[in-house]
Amino acid sequence: MGYTSYVAVGDSFTEGLNDPVVNGPAVGEVPRYRGWADRVAERLAQLEPEFRYANLAVRGKLIDQIAEEQVPRAVELKPDLISFCAGGNDLLRPGSDPDRMAKKLAGAVRQLRSTGADVVLFTGMDPRDTPIMRRVRGKFAIFFMHVRSISDLYGCHLVDIWSMQSLRDWRAWSEDRLHLNADGHRLVAARMLDVLAVPSDDDWRMAWPPRERVDPRIKRREDAQWLREHLGPWIGRRIRGRSSGDGLDPKRPDLTRLP
């Protein structure tokens, strides 16, 4: 079907980190990001002259915050299409419960589907290739199986990030190893458009060209640098009860036409 309006709900993944707008203005001291949701909206706008788009996602948000702050706004906007991806920040926190998270997700999906909108849900990336995070792989898998079940139960579309082999290459990721780069966001956009049966110029099944073998010593230095510059500060913010999204507003809070 042709969509006339789309609302994206979620955290940094949906906000678009780290896919900066080329030559785009910053909002205060915060750079503007594009991301897969913007790319999907741009494609849908090519097919529907009156198309409007809102992106309510804010980096660092937990599933409870998304359900309580963004979902009611998405319901209020009454779009044709809603994407809802949440849970990644929760799963990285000690003591998080994927079963409780799934109940919160199911309640939010019921609200969204009650509007009559098509809803798109997402599994996340398999963390087996990421140091530290691979230790909680089982918790990730349990939650994403819940996402699959909720998608089936409520008649949602499902974008299965877990199965995307093209994202298992580090060339699709930014230096922090937690957020996609522009290439990664482009692949996710292609996958969502494929799920919606909308033609796209990109192929999410793409195979990356071979890479030269990396010296194990260099790899260990890179891992140590990642722990020091990215994971350490992330853990520090969590210990202090801070979030990278504190004080930030959604980049597109209302349904508006794209330029």
Side-chain angles (χ1 to χ4, degrees), residues 177 213-225:
R177 304 186 187 180
R213 185 177 180 275
V214 178
D215 187 315
R217 292 171 297 180
I218 296 177
K219 182 66 169 60
R220 286 194 294 270
R221 285 200 298 270
E222 290 176 346
D223 288 345
Q225 182 179 8

Side-chain angles (χ1 to χ4, degrees), residues 29-30 69 84 99 130 134 176 181 190 205 250 253 259:
E29 299 298 322
V30 182
E69 299 168 8
F84 182 17
D99 297 322
T130 307
R134 68 168 64 99
D176 66 10
N181 59 23
R205 297 180 179 87

Side-chain angles (χ1 to χ4, degrees), residues 12-13 16-20 33 130 167 169-185 208 211 222 226 229-231:
S12 59
F13 175 68
L17 275 69
N18 285 319
D19 180 12
Y33 293 104
T130 307
L167 293 185
D169 192 295
W170 285 116
R171 283 172 285 187
W173 295 81
S174 57
E175 290 184 357
D176 66 10
R177 304 186 187 180
L178 296 171
H179 299 99
L180 298 169
N181 59 23
D183 289 326
H185 280 284
W208 292 86
R211 297 184 67 177
E222 290 176 346
W226 172 73
E229 296 182 2
H230 297 288
L231 186 62

Side-chain angles (χ1 to χ4, degrees), residues 50-207:
E50 301 302 317
F51 181 82
R52 297 174 301 146
Y53 168 55
N55 190 318
L56 309 180
V58 176
R59 68 197 72 174
K61 293 297 183 181
L62 302 172
I63 195 167
D64 286 353
Q65 295 171 311
I66 294 169
E68 292 164 11
E69 299 168 8
Q70 299 179 29
V71 168
R73 177 58 177 159
V75 170
E76 179 184 351
L77 291 171
K78 295 183 173 63
D80 299 334
L81 176 67
I82 302 170
S83 65
F84 182 17
C85 185
N89 292 312
D90 299 76
L91 290 167
L92 290 171
R93 292 195 170 201
S96 60
D97 181 352
D99 297 322
R100 190 206 69 80
M101 291 166 55
K103 291 181 179 178
K104 178 65 72 170
L105 175 67
V109 170
R110 279 197 300 271
Q111 293 181 59
L112 297 175
R113 285 291 284 151
S114 70
T115 66
D118 282 358
V119 174
V120 182
L121 300 181
F122 295 73
T123 68
M125 192 66 191
D126 184 349
R128 67 178 177 175
D129 298 323
T130 307
I132 307 298
M133 289 170 60
R134 68 168 64 99
R135 298 179 183 178
V136 291
R137 188 185 184 204
K139 186 163 63 171
F140 277 71
I142 290 171
F143 179 67
F144 296 141
M145 284 304 296
H146 280 307
V147 173
R148 285 180 169 276
S149 298
I150 292 167
S151 177
D152 287 342
L153 182 62
Y154 294 104
C156 303
H157 298 286
L158 180 69
V159 175
D160 187 8
I161 302 296
W162 189 284
S163 69
M164 290 183 65
Q165 294 300 304
S166 55
L167 293 185
R168 292 203 50 210
D169 192 295
W170 285 116
R171 283 172 285 187
W173 295 81
S174 57
E175 290 184 357
D176 66 10
R177 304 186 187 180
L178 296 171
H179 299 99
L180 298 169
N181 59 23
D183 289 326
H185 280 284
R186 193 181 71 251
L187 291 170
V188 172
R191 184 70 191 269
M192 178 166 164
L193 289 169
D194 185 44
V195 166
L196 296 176
V198 176
S200 168
D201 293 333
D202 294 311
D203 181 8
W204 63 266
R205 297 180 179 87
M206 66 160 283

Side-chain angles (χ1 to χ4, degrees), residues 245-258:
D246 288 347
L248 296 184
D249 295 321
K251 64 180 182 179
R252 294 183 65 93
D254 300 303
L255 280 173
T256 55
R257 299 271 296 274
L258 290 168

Side-chain angles (χ1 to χ4, degrees), residues 235-252:
I235 293 174
R237 287 196 300 271
R238 295 305 175 273
I239 292 174
R240 296 191 301 272
R242 300 287 301 278
S243 166
S244 56
D246 288 347
L248 296 184
D249 295 321
K251 64 180 182 179
R252 294 183 65 93

